[in-house]
Amino acid sequence: MAEPVFPDELVGDGPATWDVTGELPPDLLRKLGSMGLLCAEVPARFGGLGVSSVDNGELTAHVGRLCSSLRSIMTSHGIAATAVRRFGDREQRRHYLGELTGGKLAAVGFSEPGAGSDLAAMTTRIEAQGEEVVVTGEKRWVTASRYADYLLVLGRHGDDAAAVMVPADAPGVTIEPVPQPMGCRAAGHARLVFDGVRLPVSTVLGGGRQSLSLLFTTALSYGRMSVAWGCAGIVRACLDAAATQAATREQSGKPLGEHQLVAGHLADLYVAEQTVTQVCRHASEQWDAGSPDQAVAAVLAKHVAATQAAQAAAKAMQVLASWGANDGHVVARAYRDTKLMEIIEGSNEISRLVLARHALDRVA
Ligand code: FAD
């Protein structure tokens, strides 16, 4: 399968404006969705592009370089598609993957007021009642939910767990946008309330009764790699912006890049770009090979990419100085967006705990 080509002309110079207004054009999202670009790994028989994780990763980095809000929506949509592929039955795969490659948009709700880092504390309930299920609970900071047609909701299902595809316009669903997020401002984050939402049992992926940890580990592994690749794109944008500025602006009679302290920032940015690319590529290769090390490789990629991207954005801001210090500027956006990358899909602390556990298990 050829590498997917992203239509840059549809994005143009929109990201700076979208960051300031906090809105992405919904028609653009639907168009990209209908081109299969928001979940490019979905196989062709379900309407997708059927690309490898490595190729989807490079596509994600490309989008991350342009606009982290758009990349965030791509990540959520891709998580939903992955969950449908892994947990849906044949008819659900046919129906929902057709929708998700046909222009409908999806968001994914894990986090709750009492369940942030500790997803095992989730209390949302998906209760069977005859031919229906009833969804009751609250989710926080759900990316893309302001634009979504489907809200993939994880919750308790009897003694186990389930993931249910909730139509965003179902009676009993409330979507309250997060006011003025500090970063990824146009990614459509919202608080979701499910007040006894009644749905057919056919909306529960695979009939439910799955283990909660299997559900969120599968979804988060995809999400972690997607965020990591998005960070690779941010680092590339920061490297380009800083190198261009350092080559073209002179102070004290020579280009900024010839002042050694500025050159040091450029070297660090280059190291970050190379390191993040390698660690992302490694995780995607593990995913494509179906390796048992894939989950750890995804945590490693996300952790390295998020921390490197946050440092890279700070260095690029330092090189650009006042020339990058406007809302909407690619480096200003990177500075705010990358802080959030250190929090989502497993914070730095949670990632380090997982990696420490892996280190201990190797010698047990
Ligand atoms: P807390 O869990 O309260 O953690 C606070 C601090 O304590 C963090 O530094 C954390 O690392 C640390 N900490 C917590 N527990 C431990 C521990 N056991 N050991 C060591 N340190 C610990 N959620 C969704 O469901 N869907 C989405 O699409 C989504 N998108 C998001 C997008 C953005 C931009 C943001 C900011 C959040 C998003 N979230 C989403 C929520 C996100 O998943 C949570 O913010 C994240 O899991 C952390 O939870 P919390 O914010 O409640 O922090």
Side-chain angles (χ1 to χ4, degrees):
M1 183 71 209
E3 282 178 34
V5 177
F6 189 82
D8 287 1
E9 67 284 1
L10 296 184
V11 170
D13 54 11
T17 310
W18 303 334
D19 184 63
V20 174
T21 60
E23 294 267 351
L24 267 150
D27 288 351
L28 169 69
L29 300 175
R30 292 187 189 288
K31 170 101 181 147
L32 295 174
S34 67
M35 295 168 79
L37 290 165
L38 300 181
C39 51
E41 289 175 48
V42 170
R45 66 181 183 283
F46 296 118
L49 301 177
V51 305
S52 66
S53 175
V54 172
D55 285 347
N56 190 31
E58 283 295 346
L59 174 70
T60 306
H62 182 83
V63 176
R65 180 183 199 143
L66 299 175
C67 177
S68 281
S69 290
L70 179 54
R71 195 279 309 149
S72 300
I73 289 166
M74 188 177 177
T75 296
S76 298
H77 194 81
I79 294 175
T82 301
V84 171
R85 278 180 73 192
R86 291 287 168 94
F87 300 109
D89 60 29
R90 183 192 292 241
E91 175 53 23
Q92 289 169 331
R93 289 200 297 272
R94 189 198 62 74
H95 174 66
Y96 289 122
L97 294 177
E99 295 274 89
L100 298 183
T101 56
K104 299 282 189 196
L105 302 169
V108 183
F110 303 94
S111 310
E112 300 180 0
S117 300
D118 179 16
L119 286 178
M122 207 177 264
T123 59
T124 292
R125 296 192 314 279
I126 302 167
E127 290 168 316
Q129 286 191 8
E131 286 306 298
E132 291 184 321
V133 287
V134 180
V135 184
T136 307
E138 179 180 337
K139 299 289 179 183
R140 293 183 73 239
W141 270 89
V142 177
T143 302
S145 53
R146 261 169 54 205
Y147 306 108
D149 301 285
Y150 290 105
L151 308 165
L152 178 68
V153 174
L154 270 69
R156 302 277 165 199
H157 189 229
D159 293 336
D160 303 302
V164 59
M165 289 289 267
V166 180
D169 60 359
V173 175
T174 304
I175 302 176
E176 261 177 29
V178 172
Q180 297 168 328
M182 76 169 262
C184 300
R185 288 172 168 173
H189 309 110
R191 167 178 174 259
L192 310 180
V193 179
F194 302 94
D195 183 9
V197 178
R198 302 188 84 86
L199 300 167
V201 284
S202 59
T203 56
V204 178
L205 295 185
R209 308 234 172 266
Q210 287 116 354
S211 111
L212 183 61
S213 67
L214 178 66
L215 281 175
F216 64 66
T217 303
T218 303
L220 286 177
S221 286
Y222 180 93
R224 285 168 175 153
M225 284 193 298
S226 183
V227 167
W229 279 107
C231 287
I234 298 177
V235 175
R236 291 172 191 176
C238 287
L239 174 59
D240 282 357
T244 302
Q245 184 76 355
T248 54
R249 176 168 165 79
E250 292 193 357
Q251 284 293 276
S252 305
K254 56 184 178 183
L256 290 174
E258 291 184 22
H259 295 289
Q260 285 187 345
L261 294 178
V262 177
H265 291 318
L266 297 180
D268 292 345
L269 278 157
Y270 180 68
V271 170
E273 194 275 327
Q274 292 288 306
T275 308
V276 170
T277 299
Q278 291 308 321
V279 80
C280 287
R281 186 166 274 275
H282 173 70
S284 277
E285 285 168 354
Q286 300 289 311
W287 177 275
D288 283 335
S291 160
D293 294 335
Q294 187 281 323
V296 170
V299 174
L300 179 67
K302 191 270 165 183
H303 183 54
V304 171
T307 51
Q308 289 284 325
Q311 290 170 22
K315 285 176 197 289
M317 258 322 299
Q318 203 65 24
V319 174
L320 271 286
S322 64
W323 303 85
N326 300 92
D327 265 1
H329 188 285
V330 65
V331 167
R333 281 189 278 128
Y335 189 70
R336 287 184 279 101
D337 296 344
T338 51
K339 184 63 229 172
L340 298 179
M341 300 304 107
E342 294 193 301
I343 292 169
I344 60 169
E345 306 288 344
S347 63
N348 283 358
E349 291 76 14
I350 297 301
S351 299
R352 293 176 73 201
L353 291 175
V354 173
L355 296 172
R357 169 53 49 202
H358 182 64
L360 290 168
D361 286 348
R362 280 156 56 103
V363 295

